Amino acid sequence: MKNQLGRITILVKDCDEAYEFYEKNLGCKKFFDLIDESGKRYLHVGFDTDIAAGIWLCEAETEEEKRRIGDQTGGKPAFVIYTDSFAEFYDNLLSNGTKIRKEPMTVNDYQVLHFIDLYGNEIVAAESSK
């Protein structure tokens, strides 16, 4: 049996503004963008079109979903991004005015930093020194 990650879901207020943030700061590209007959949008983004794993930017619909925007994980990071150019990634975040929650540090041979997306979700960026 072979399993692989498909999509993680991030609740957003607006798919287009969320996509702009994720494209500008993380380098995401659209994998799939569809609005079905009921008006529900399916916007899947990711980092490499050859890899299935990505993010589903999902517009919150119910009041409960709207309350959870930016806090889907109870204050823990929503996900980790691995980069092969930590300094370039960090500089890009800074140049875009992205809020840094924890400044860069080295942990077990990894350079890591924590930053916040436009809704308050914490994301970790990491690069291995190996």
Side-chain angles (χ1 to χ4, degrees), residues 92-112:
N92 185 59
L93 293 177
L94 293 178
S95 70
N96 289 326
T98 302
K99 182 179 177 185
I100 305 300
R101 183 160 186 288
K102 292 183 183 176
E103 292 293 331
M105 63 187 120
T106 302
V107 178
N108 296 332
D109 293 324
Y110 283 87
Q111 286 186 288
V112 298

Side-chain angles (χ1 to χ4, degrees), residues 5-120:
L5 181 65
R7 302 282 184 268
I8 62 165
T9 301
I10 298 293
L11 289 170
V12 301
K13 292 178 186 173
D14 179 270
C15 281
D16 292 319
E17 74 177 1
Y19 175 67
E20 182 179 333
F21 176 89
Y22 281 85
E23 178 186 38
K24 182 170 60 172
N25 288 282
L26 280 64
C28 287
K29 304 292 181 235
K30 289 182 183 178
F31 284 166
F32 185 77
D33 190 359
L34 172 79
I35 299 174
D36 69 14
E37 305 80 29
S38 69
K40 186 172 182 124
R41 187 170 184 186
Y42 297 88
L43 176 55
H44 297 194
V45 302
F47 309 99
D48 185 337
T49 56
D50 294 333
I51 298 173
I55 303 165
W56 178 10
L57 300 174
C58 186
E59 286 189 16
E61 298 171 352
T62 68
E63 287 307 311
E64 176 66 18
E65 289 173 351
K66 290 175 184 175
R67 282 192 298 274
R68 292 184 177 272
I69 292 173
D71 189 27
Q72 291 176 222
T73 60
K76 299 292 185 185
F79 56 93
V80 177
I81 299 291
Y82 292 110
T83 180
D84 63 358
S85 181
F86 189 84
E88 182 179 350
F89 189 92
Y90 181 55
D91 288 344
N92 185 59
L93 293 177
L94 293 178
S95 70
N96 289 326
T98 302
K99 182 179 177 185
I100 305 300
R101 183 160 186 288
K102 292 183 183 176
E103 292 293 331
M105 63 187 120
T106 302
V107 178
N108 296 332
D109 293 324
Y110 283 87
Q111 286 186 288
V112 298
L113 68 91
H114 296 230
F115 64 98
I116 305 297
D117 78 0
L118 73 165
Y119 298 119

